[in-house]
Amino acid sequence: MQEATDRELLFEALEKMRKDTLRNFAIACGAVFILFVFFFIRFPMIFLFSIIGYLLIIMFIWMAMKGPYIRFFKEKVVTGVLSSMLEDVSYEPNLGFSESEVMESRLVTRGNRYHSEDLVSGVYKGVFVQRSDVRIENETKSGDTTIQTTYFSGQWMKLKFQKEIEGLLYVIDHDFPCSGAKGIFNTNHLDKVKVESIAFNETFKVYCQQAHDAFYILTPRTMESLEKLASKNKSLSILFAKDTIHVAVNTNRNAFEIGLLRPVDIDEETKRVHDDMRVLLDFVDAIIAI
Amino acid sequence: MEVMLMIAGAIVVLVLLYFIAVNNKLEQTTVKIQEADSGIDVFLQKRFDTLTKLVDITKSYATYEKETLLEAIKLRSQGSIPEREKTIATLDQVDRDIRVIAENYPQLKASDLFRELQKAAVDAEDHLQAARRLYNANVSSLNQMIVSFPQSIIANMKGIQPKEMFKADPGKKEDVDVSITID
């Protein structure tokens, strides 16, 4: 009963904040528009620059105004979901994994733009895990045209593993964006290994420095669990390095973000955050079972 | 005529290159099998050592016939796959018996050293399983090449025969007699 009331209050607070933000944004747009009309009347020769300037200011206002709403959502909804799934949870919306750490894993193609946020740390079934949203893009310029290619956008998780291996072991989903990229796995003296399971070989590519490591980590039970995970979540790739595991799930979206334009559905948003986190924790379950 | 000679020459070169490629692949796979084979010995020894230590600390709680383990290592040194499968089955049995003893002696089970060694024994077993699976994967790759045409021609020329694989889990299929007396 108390929980239902809390949800109701949270919904009302979020909706009020959303509507206020949209209203304030509309007022700000109108005010800026009037300013630009005066500016245009005064300097008609720089019409094009005025339009571009107007759009840039509108974009800046939008980003600045939606910030508090998203922070409020993360603070109230996301933190609640995470606390129900992890012990000793710590959530830092503005922090993430360092670029060097993610790039050095070589799980993803190196781009020239990197962003990471929503760092969550906590303990799940005795295992300390950290996750963060990561976005890697590559921006190239050809004359006046700027081409932006997204190499990876999704969840990244790091955890310590109870088993230790000698070298590096990559388990790459065939659908993972970098799996077709040549060059990434040609370094570090990595060999492609085929395991006994035909179904597993059809879902994942396995690269390693020592074949023994692949068979040590990829037991029949683990392979079965990973196949199940991959059937539910395409684009799952893993690096086992010594006693550390990096997991990258390319979802093409930010897991803990919320849109401003449509009314909040707390149940739906809670489920979405829960499901995204569950993908990572299912992996931990599969690994604990080894 | 010149064109014909060039085509014939190109075919000969292609056949030669193919022969070299297949020959190298067969040689590489054979080397990988040998490496995997010695890997099995390494992890078999590691598992034997760990179980021996476990038996040593279990002895103070139960009288255990240590000779069974010595028998296991003797079988291992003989080297053929069925013999090593038998050794692995013996070690599996020893492992199971130690667990049974530990169930009957809570002090033993609670001992830090025992728990540490048991963890090491499980790890050694996992490594041994991995070494066997790697060996089987390499043997499977070689055996597939031997039966696939036209690689089979080159394999026959080199006198390479299909190799025997380890069974999935011999420990579960064979019952090795290991005597234990609980005081």
Side-chain angles (χ1 to χ4, degrees):
Chain A
M1 186 66 186
Q2 180 62 38
E3 198 183 320
T5 316
D6 288 348
R7 288 182 89 76
E8 195 73 14
L9 288 172
L10 181 60
F11 169 75
E12 280 171 18
L14 271 166
E15 259 309 272
K16 184 179 180 305
M17 202 169 179
R18 189 183 74 85
K19 284 176 181 166
D20 287 352
T21 307
L22 285 175
R23 191 194 58 228
N24 294 342
F25 177 68
I27 293 168
C29 285
V32 175
F33 181 74
I34 291 165
L35 275 174
F36 268 89
V37 169
F38 281 118
F39 188 75
F40 174 61
I41 293 166
R42 182 78 180 82
F43 306 103
M45 65 294 288
I46 52 167
F47 173 73
L48 186 65
F49 287 110
S50 303
I51 294 289
I52 293 169
Y54 177 72
L55 291 176
L56 284 173
I57 288 173
I58 292 300
M59 249 171 69
F60 177 76
I61 293 171
W62 175 253
M63 298 300 284
M65 282 190 162
K66 77 172 189 175
Y69 174 69
I70 290 171
R71 272 200 296 278
F72 185 72
F73 170 76
K74 287 178 177 179
E75 195 183 302
K76 298 292 176 188
V77 179
V78 176
T79 309
V81 177
L82 295 173
S83 302
S84 69
M85 301 177 90
L86 297 168
E87 289 168 36
D88 301 330
V89 68
S90 142
Y91 176 37
E92 298 285 352
N94 299 321
L95 295 181
F97 290 122
S98 71
E99 182 176 359
S100 59
E101 190 173 20
V102 168
M103 292 306 178
E104 276 164 20
S105 75
R106 291 176 177 266
L107 261 179
V108 284
T109 310
R110 188 180 283 271
N112 52 21
R113 293 184 67 174
Y114 176 86
H115 180 71
S116 180
E117 61 178 19
D118 291 328
L119 180 68
V120 178
S121 308
V123 177
Y124 176 71
K125 293 186 179 174
V127 181
F128 179 72
V129 296
Q130 283 186 301
R131 64 76 61 201
S132 169
D133 279 316
V134 169
R135 189 174 179 84
I136 298 162
E137 293 169 327
N138 197 52
E139 199 175 271
T140 49
K141 283 192 177 168
S142 168
D144 293 338
T145 321
T146 304
I147 303 162
Q148 200 164 297
T149 314
T150 304
Y151 285 159
F152 177 84
S153 174
Q155 298 198 85
W156 197 281
M157 179 172 70
K158 200 177 96 173
L159 64 143
K160 287 281 172 197
F161 189 34
Q162 71 268 29
K163 281 185 166 184
E164 194 169 325
I165 56 170
E166 297 280 318
L168 300 173
L169 168 66
Y170 288 89
V171 181
I172 311 288
D173 194 315
H174 279 283
D175 291 333
F176 199 70
C178 77
S179 66
K182 286 184 178 173
I184 297 175
F185 301 112
N186 294 340
T187 52
N188 290 334
H189 308 291
L190 294 170
D191 291 324
K192 195 172 178 184
V193 167
K194 284 201 182 255
V195 291
E196 313 93 318
S197 164
I198 294 168
F200 189 84
N201 290 332
E202 281 172 359
T203 313
F204 294 103
K205 293 177 190 175
V206 179
Y207 296 88
C208 56
Q209 287 176 323
Q210 292 181 23
H212 178 82
D213 287 343
F215 286 88
Y216 177 58
I217 297 292
L218 301 172
T219 61
R221 194 172 170 184
T222 315
M223 287 193 283
E224 201 183 323
S225 303
L226 291 178
E227 270 177 67
K228 270 186 202 162
L229 266 180
S231 68
K232 284 190 277 182
N233 317 282
K234 288 288 173 193
S235 271
L236 171 84
S237 284
I238 310 144
L239 162 67
F240 297 85
K242 305 276 178 195
D243 63 343
T244 306
I245 305 177
H246 289 263
V247 184
V249 188
N250 193 57
T251 53
N252 281 320
R253 62 186 167 79
N254 193 325
F256 300 161
E257 287 289 309
I258 185 171
L260 253 178
L261 298 176
R262 62 190 181 93
V264 186
D265 181 335
I266 296 209
D267 289 337
E268 194 189 306
E269 296 300 337
T270 305
K271 188 181 176 305
R272 185 176 59 79
V273 173
H274 182 276
D275 289 351
D276 277 342
M277 200 62 205
R278 194 66 251 168
V279 172
L280 300 175
L281 299 183
D282 280 348
F283 173 81
V284 182
D285 282 331
I287 287 300
I288 291 172
I290 291 177
Chain B
M1 186 62 186
E2 248 180 61
V3 176
M4 292 293 282
L5 274 172
M6 279 169 74
I7 292 170
I11 291 170
V12 169
V13 169
L14 283 175
V15 169
L16 198 67
L17 286 174
Y18 180 75
F19 179 86
I20 292 168
V22 172
N23 184 58
N24 285 349
K25 183 78 183 159
L26 284 166
E27 290 292 341
Q28 282 163 7
T29 312
T30 309
V31 169
K32 277 185 183 176
I33 290 171
Q34 284 164 0
E35 283 172 2
D37 191 50
S38 52
I40 292 170
D41 280 346
V42 168
F43 292 113
L44 205 52
Q45 182 67 52
K46 192 177 168 187
R47 194 173 178 213
F48 174 81
D49 292 343
T50 318
L51 286 176
T52 309
K53 284 179 194 162
L54 266 173
V55 168
D56 279 342
I57 65 160
T58 311
K59 270 196 305 186
S60 51
Y61 294 87
T63 310
Y64 193 92
E65 288 188 10
K66 201 181 169 187
E67 287 70 31
T68 315
L69 274 173
L70 297 171
E71 182 65 19
I73 200 76
K74 195 177 139 199
L75 283 169
R76 184 196 66 80
S77 63
Q78 288 170 10
S80 76
I81 286 178
E83 281 160 355
R84 275 194 284 182
E85 278 175 346
K86 204 174 170 186
T87 306
I88 291 166
T90 311
L91 293 178
D92 286 344
Q93 184 63 48
V94 171
D95 200 359
R96 278 195 292 272
D97 289 341
I98 289 170
R99 281 166 210 257
V100 171
I101 294 169
E103 286 302 321
N104 288 302
Y105 294 92
Q107 290 151 292
L108 173 68
K109 203 178 172 184
S111 143
D112 285 345
L113 180 63
F114 182 80
R115 273 163 36 192
E116 189 109 334
L117 282 170
Q118 216 173 22
K119 207 175 149 190
V122 170
D123 192 54
E125 188 188 344
D126 289 348
H127 273 294
L128 184 58
Q129 288 273 6
R132 280 161 59 195
R133 286 171 55 223
L134 174 60
Y135 176 86
N136 279 354
N138 289 331
V139 167
S140 167
S141 172
L142 182 78
N143 289 352
Q144 281 174 45
M145 275 194 278
I146 290 171
V147 295
S148 306
F149 183 81
Q151 290 110 304
S152 55
I153 300 171
I154 300 163
N156 277 336
M157 281 166 66
K158 289 176 69 69
I160 298 174
Q161 297 294 317
K163 288 192 184 289
E164 197 180 357
M165 287 200 217
F166 277 92
K167 290 191 186 87
D169 196 348
K172 285 181 184 168
K173 290 176 187 168
E174 287 186 51
D175 279 321
V176 180
D177 186 30
V178 178
S179 358
I180 291 178
T181 316
I182 300 170
D183 293 331

